[in-house]
Amino acid sequence: MDAFYATLHITLVFQFISFGSSTCLFSCSCTDDILGRSLVCMETSMGEIPVDIPHDFIKIRIEKSHLTELPRGSFSKVPALEFLWLNFNEIALMNMKSLEGLANLTELRLQGNKLTSIPWTAFQDTPKLKILDFKHNHLDVLPEHALRYLPAVTYLDLSFNQLSVIAKEVFINWPLFQIAEKAWAKEGMVSNVVLGLHDNPWLCDCRLKGFVEFIRAVSPPIILMNSYLMCSGPALKADKFFHEIQLKSCMRPVTSAPETNITLPLGANATLTCLVKGRPEPTIQWMYSLKIIRGFVASQTNIDEETFSSQLLIPSLHLADRGLYTCTANNFIGNSSVNITVNIASTDSSVPLLPPVPMLSSEENAYIDIHIAKQTVYGITLEWHAATENPAETWFTIHFGKYDSPKKEMIYIGPGINSYSVSNLLPVTKYEVCVTLKNHPPREGQCIVFVTGSDISEMEQKERLIHIIVIVCAMVLAVPVGMYACTTEARFSCVDRCVDLWRMHRMHDDNLQEGARQGTFDSLQVTSDEALCKSSVEKPTKRRKSEDKCKGGSAAYLY
């Protein structure tokens, strides 16, 4: 009989151990105490919430593992759960239904994770929640109604996050704060509510005025873990405690300028000054027609906490710099702007100045300044500048192909880009490239026609740029050795003659010494079409009259 009872006892113990081990997760430990069953998983390789957690756990603690998110219904199969600790994981996302089915949850700790935001409506499923710990995360926003769904919380820790601005309405609208304040005033006894808000980078400007006033006035039953909240910015208030500062209400920017009409001589340096008053500190920008071309440097200084000065420096005034300059200031309250007109005094009263380039709408036929910025052995780099009203949103179309081809390749270029390179060009081929506003057809002044030179040896490829004959050119162009350049007015018959002359000079250049000097249009010796079209070697040939004399233009050749 004794042997029978001994065997039965061993069997029951074995079954109990087997039952316990089968209901605990791998790499975790399970315990039973006076509060109920607990699941503890420490420093495991767990990367997601297990789906087979037994339903009878009261406390779950998964820490220092590799959890990255809380999906919908993460613990919905554990309805009896009261304590949930998920500290020191890598949780960055929290589904708005992640706490679904946890009506009995009273304590949630998510310390030391990577949360940047919280779906506060998730707490509708946890009406009994009393302790909520979010310290050491990356929270940077606390919405005005964030605490609406925390009617029973008496401990809320948001310390060591990235909160910079909070409205006092966040706490004024907190149901628990309203109830506690009334009960304290009426009975003098109510449960304390502990708040942790320290060690956040508080930005102490006008936006924080209400919150600073709330913190100063806070009293039991609201208790701060650390009442010495400190400012991180702006610079004039950094490292000061809330009780040491006075904040003013926010205001829309007001802009002004000491001078709104400036006249200076050509080549002078101009400094445009814009004064802005606003709270909080506004963002100041300068807008002008040729901003995408010249990109002048603007500097900003703080006169006091709410007054700022912005200066735009225009070095060596060009004629194109004339016109309207707008200084605009923005903050979350509104914006304001002031216009400054820049004029250039004429040094020669007999020569009137051309009108300034207008700031055109992108829908109009905007002026586009196009030129070849660089030539390589088998390609070119094209640059263009356009005066448009909104350069940040202006798209361009490049039309490129052989000159006699009726259909050109179209390339779309986005805002902020003003150059494009073309490579693998064929030798001795005439090309045309145009730059227009997106989907607009080319018009006069928006195209360049050029002819590539004959193929050259490998040694010459390393030492010389490709020879290009520029037929239509809007601005000064750096011209390499041996290049012909004809101005816009030159007739194509003259250009054909230029090509013939270039070929003869190309053969002559082979006998010249290396290191021939290069130059620009500024150094070219300009002659008439008639002179250019004459061969340097007199050969009596019969040509049409129209080819013997090129009228209506000028051209140049660089030796």
Side-chain angles (χ1 to χ4, degrees):
M1 183 63 69
D2 291 338
F4 172 78
Y5 282 114
T7 303
L8 179 61
H9 177 73
I10 293 172
T11 302
L12 291 173
V13 170
F14 178 79
Q15 288 180 346
F16 178 79
I17 294 174
S18 300
F19 175 79
S21 62
S22 65
T23 57
C24 195
L25 301 180
F26 179 74
S27 299
C28 301
S29 62
C30 299
T31 59
D32 287 285
D33 55 30
I34 192 171
L35 295 177
R37 297 199 71 208
S38 298
L39 172 67
V40 179
C41 305
M42 302 292 290
E43 299 185 44
T44 69
S45 58
M46 190 181 299
E48 58 184 18
I49 304 296
V51 295
D52 55 348
I53 299 178
H55 68 278
D56 57 343
F57 284 115
I58 300 298
K59 181 176 181 178
I60 294 178
R61 184 177 181 183
I62 305 175
E63 296 186 356
K64 298 181 181 179
S65 296
H66 300 282
L67 301 180
T68 58
E69 65 174 317
L70 294 181
R72 177 169 187 164
S74 299
F75 300 93
S76 59
K77 294 182 180 180
V78 195
L81 190 62
E82 296 181 17
F83 306 93
L84 179 58
W85 290 16
L86 300 172
N87 300 321
F88 307 111
N89 283 283
E90 300 174 11
I91 300 172
L93 293 174
M94 184 175 174
N95 188 278
M96 62 186 302
K97 286 294 183 180
S98 57
L99 304 178
E100 190 175 39
L102 300 182
N104 293 309
L105 191 68
T106 59
E107 183 174 329
L108 175 61
R109 294 185 182 271
L110 284 160
Q111 174 186 352
N113 281 282
K114 298 180 179 180
L115 291 165
T116 57
S117 62
I118 302 294
W120 295 96
T121 55
F123 298 106
Q124 294 179 94
D125 296 317
T126 59
K128 296 182 180 179
L129 191 65
K130 292 184 178 181
I131 296 176
L132 184 56
D133 185 357
F134 281 125
K135 64 175 171 280
H136 287 288
N137 275 276
H138 305 298
L139 304 179
D140 56 4
V141 174
L142 196 61
E144 186 173 323
H145 299 291
L147 309 184
R148 174 185 294 180
Y149 304 106
L150 301 173
V153 167
T154 57
Y155 179 97
L156 176 61
D157 194 347
L158 297 169
S159 60
F160 295 95
N161 275 279
Q162 296 299 314
L163 298 172
S164 58
V165 176
I166 290 182
K168 68 177 181 180
E169 286 74 21
V170 171
F171 301 97
I172 300 300
N173 295 333
W174 189 8
L176 185 65
F177 172 75
Q178 298 171 354
I179 295 171
E181 192 176 42
K182 293 177 182 177
W184 182 271
K186 184 177 180 180
E187 302 174 7
M189 293 185 65
V190 70
S191 297
N192 290 327
V193 179
V194 180
L195 278 177
L197 297 167
H198 53 282
D199 290 283
N200 279 286
W202 299 114
L203 183 61
C204 297
D205 60 22
C206 64
R207 291 169 290 183
L208 207 64
K209 180 176 183 293
F211 177 66
V212 170
E213 292 173 349
F214 169 80
I215 294 298
R216 285 177 178 168
V218 77
S219 60
I222 306 295
I223 298 175
L224 295 174
M225 294 183 196
N226 185 342
S227 59
Y228 289 93
L229 303 189
M230 182 180 289
C231 302
S232 292
L236 294 174
K237 290 186 170 62
D239 299 327
K240 291 186 178 181
F241 293 110
F242 279 18
H243 63 270
E244 296 177 325
I245 62 173
Q246 294 292 331
L247 298 177
K248 298 179 180 179
S249 300
C250 295
M251 64 173 286
R252 175 177 172 270
V254 177
T255 55
S256 62
E259 295 182 88
T260 57
N261 199 312
I262 298 175
T263 302
L264 293 171
L266 191 67
N269 295 331
T271 301
L272 312 186
T273 301
C274 172
L275 299 177
V276 180
K277 193 167 187 177
R279 294 187 297 267
E281 180 177 347
T283 300
I284 303 175
Q285 292 181 318
W286 288 88
M287 298 300 297
Y288 42 97
S289 60
L290 299 181
K291 185 173 183 178
I292 194 172
I293 303 177
R294 303 212 43 181
F296 306 124
V297 175
S299 61
Q300 183 173 320
T301 55
N302 293 18
I303 299 176
D304 56 42
E305 290 188 35
E306 58 187 47
T307 308
F308 311 90
S309 174
S310 179
Q311 293 186 322
L312 185 71
L313 176 63
I314 308 175
S316 185
L317 277 173
H318 297 180
L319 290 177
D321 296 331
R322 292 171 298 153
L324 196 66
Y325 292 73
T326 302
C327 171
T328 302
N330 293 274
N331 64 17
F332 78 100
I333 298 293
N335 61 75
S336 177
S337 61
V338 62
N339 294 328
I340 300 176
T341 303
V342 175
N343 303 296
I344 295 180
S346 176
T347 55
D348 187 351
S349 59
S350 63
V351 180
L353 294 175
L354 296 174
V357 176
M359 186 179 290
L360 298 174
S361 167
S362 60
E363 298 300 322
E364 301 178 28
N365 288 327
Y367 170 77
I368 299 179
D369 175 14
I370 174 175
H371 65 278
I372 295 176
K374 182 181 178 181
Q375 302 116 48
T376 60
V377 176
Y378 291 115
I380 64 168
T381 296
L382 193 71
E383 284 189 358
W384 64 90
H385 301 295
T388 60
E389 185 177 15
N390 195 353
E393 296 182 3
T394 302
W395 283 69
F396 298 93
T397 300
I398 293 179
H399 309 258
F400 178 78
K402 294 183 179 180
Y403 178 75
D404 54 358
S405 175
K407 188 174 182 180
K408 301 290 193 295
E409 180 183 358
M410 297 174 64
I411 304 104
Y412 295 103
I413 304 296
I417 302 174
N418 68 330
S419 65
Y420 185 79
S421 296
V422 180
S423 58
N424 298 321
L425 298 178
L426 298 174
V428 195
T429 304
K430 185 187 294 185
Y431 289 98
E432 181 180 40
V433 58
C434 307
V435 179
T436 68
L437 296 180
K438 186 175 180 181
N439 294 326
H440 283 219
R443 63 183 182 86
E444 185 179 358
Q446 294 181 341
C447 298
I448 287 181
V449 178
F450 61 91
V451 178
T452 56
S454 61
D455 206 357
I456 52 181
S457 68
E458 182 177 353
M459 181 64 68
E460 287 175 311
Q461 288 181 18
K462 299 178 182 179
E463 298 179 356
R464 295 192 180 190
L465 300 175
I466 190 170
H467 298 290
I468 297 176
I469 299 174
V470 180
I471 297 174
V472 180
C473 186
M475 290 187 64
V476 173
L477 170 66
V479 183
V481 175
M483 171 181 283
Y484 283 96
C486 300
T487 59
T488 305
E489 295 85 0
R491 292 190 177 183
F492 285 94
S493 58
C494 176
V495 171
D496 293 335
R497 181 63 177 142
C498 286
V499 174
D500 294 336
L501 285 175
W502 169 77
R503 287 172 176 165
M504 288 188 289
H505 278 279
R506 176 72 180 83
M507 293 185 290
H508 176 68
D509 285 343
D510 292 338
N511 299 322
L512 296 179
Q513 295 181 355
E514 295 183 357
R517 67 181 181 88
Q518 297 187 6
T520 66
F521 272 114
D522 296 330
S523 63
L524 295 178
Q525 182 180 356
V526 179
T527 61
S528 67
D529 284 352
E530 290 85 350
L532 179 65
C533 293
K534 289 182 179 179
S535 174
S536 57
V537 181
E538 294 294 336
K539 293 183 178 180
T541 58
K542 293 183 179 181
R543 288 185 175 269
R544 290 179 297 175
K545 186 176 182 180
S546 60
E547 293 179 345
D548 290 337
K549 189 174 183 180
C550 303
K551 296 181 179 180
S554 61
Y557 175 70
L558 177 65
Y559 291 91

